[in-house]
């Protein structure tokens, strides 16, 4: 069965390569691919839950991981575009580390897939760590926009 | 009888997996189409276009959340 899965995966990869997708040139375009992939994963989980391939509890666990990944993608968008500080009206560049994460935003779904496939704590921990950092940055700017301190 | 049920369950799982792959590829293809349109017009993606992708994703997450709540999870 495992061999069949491997053969199926190889066939799928070959098929994907043959289909030919439009190449992403800019970080924004890579982000669009990342979000599209995330959207596909969410719909797949929804489908699996509705078809009872996943139990509601498993679906909820997948949902939590996907929500974490979503916050990574939201943070990546801020990191790519930067933002205007609503108080000082100055353009704000995010920290270099976060910019690098944003450039690699297309890797977030890959980390998720690895977490699903391997069930190892490593990739998932990375997602959580990156997500936490990005969520804090996003919350900071959201707070400023709403006039908080 | 047990073998038949087992095979049917396996077929059901395969069908679900195939559907999941189709949904995933369709979603990625939509992103690709958006990029292709922008490239063909020699322009970058507009913020509204990027917003639409994020909103669609948000909608899918909300729908999954609702389905899980309906199932008691």
């Amino acid at each position: 069965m495992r061999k069949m899965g491997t053969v199926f995966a190889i066939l799928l990869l070959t098929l994907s390569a043959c289909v030919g997708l439009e190449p992403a040139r800019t970080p924004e375009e890579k982000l669009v691919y990342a979000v599209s992939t995330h959207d596909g994963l969410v719909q797949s989980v929804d489908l699996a839950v509705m078809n009872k391939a996943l139990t509601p509890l498993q679906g909820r666990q997948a949902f939590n991981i996907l929500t974490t990944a979503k916050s990574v993608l939201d943070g990546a968008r801020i990191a790519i575009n930067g933002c205007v500080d609503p108080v000082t009206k100055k353009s704000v560049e995010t920290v270099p580390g976060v910019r690098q994460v944003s450039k690699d935003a297309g890797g977030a779904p890959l980390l998720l897939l690895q977490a699903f496939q391997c069930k190892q704590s490593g990739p998932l921990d990375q997602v959580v760590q990156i997500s936490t950092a990005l969520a804090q940055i996003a919350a900071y700017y959201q707070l400023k926009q709403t006039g908080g301190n | 009888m047990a073998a038949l049920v087992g095979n049917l369950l396996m077929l059901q799982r395969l069908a679900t997996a195939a559907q999941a792959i189709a949904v995933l590829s369709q979603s990625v293809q939509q992103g690709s189409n958006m990029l292709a349109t922008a490239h063909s017009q020699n322009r970058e993606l507009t913020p509204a276009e990027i917003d639409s992708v994020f909103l669609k994703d948000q909608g899918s997450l909300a729908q999954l959340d609702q389905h899980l709540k309906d199932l008691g999870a």
Side-chain angles (χ1 to χ4, degrees):
Chain A
M1 195 60 206
R2 191 175 288 270
K3 283 181 184 174
M4 268 183 68
T6 310
V7 170
F8 191 64
I10 291 170
L11 277 174
L12 184 68
L13 281 174
T14 312
L15 192 67
S16 303
C18 291
V19 168
L21 296 169
E22 187 73 11
R25 296 171 190 163
T26 63
E28 283 92 346
E29 292 179 355
K30 289 178 184 175
L31 188 61
V32 164
Y33 267 127
V35 177
S36 297
T37 307
H38 183 269
D39 186 25
L41 283 171
V42 172
Q43 290 181 42
S44 299
V45 171
D46 197 10
L47 198 71
V49 170
M50 297 314 281
N51 287 345
K52 296 185 172 44
L54 287 179
T55 64
L57 185 62
Q58 288 171 327
R60 179 56 69 186
Q61 286 170 340
F63 174 83
N64 290 340
I65 295 172
L66 288 164
T67 305
T68 306
K70 179 73 167 63
S71 64
V72 173
L73 294 170
D74 288 341
R77 190 176 184 190
I78 292 177
I80 289 172
N81 294 333
C83 61
V84 176
D85 190 316
V87 178
T88 62
K89 305 293 180 194
K90 284 181 182 172
S91 178
V92 177
E93 281 279 328
T94 42
V95 292
V98 176
R99 282 194 73 81
Q100 190 56 47
V101 170
S102 73
K103 286 176 184 171
D104 298 339
L110 185 64
L111 280 178
L112 265 179
L113 279 176
Q114 284 173 346
F116 274 128
Q117 287 172 346
C118 305
K119 294 182 181 171
Q120 289 174 349
S121 59
L124 189 58
D125 281 352
Q126 285 171 19
V127 170
V128 171
Q129 281 170 9
I130 294 167
S131 164
T132 306
L134 290 172
Q136 283 171 350
I137 292 167
Y140 171 73
Y141 286 110
Q142 201 171 13
L143 197 68
K144 278 199 165 186
Q145 280 175 344
T146 53
N149 292 317
Chain B
M1 187 63 184
L4 181 64
V5 172
N7 283 338
L8 284 174
L9 280 175
M10 182 61 72
L11 274 176
Q12 191 191 13
R13 283 181 183 176
L14 278 174
T16 303
Q19 274 181 304
I21 290 167
V23 164
L24 187 59
S25 64
Q26 188 184 14
S27 188
V28 174
Q29 193 63 51
Q30 281 174 355
S32 177
N33 291 344
M34 184 183 285
L35 259 60
T37 305
H39 288 170
S40 68
Q41 294 170 356
N42 262 338
R43 62 173 175 82
E44 292 186 351
L45 289 175
T46 63
E49 284 173 326
I50 299 174
D51 275 345
S52 72
V53 179
F54 271 83
L55 283 173
K56 184 171 174 292
D57 187 28
Q58 190 63 43
S60 299
L61 262 180
Q63 189 181 21
L64 173 59
D65 188 32
Q66 189 56 51
H67 284 161
L68 288 169
K69 279 179 183 166
D70 292 344
L71 293 168

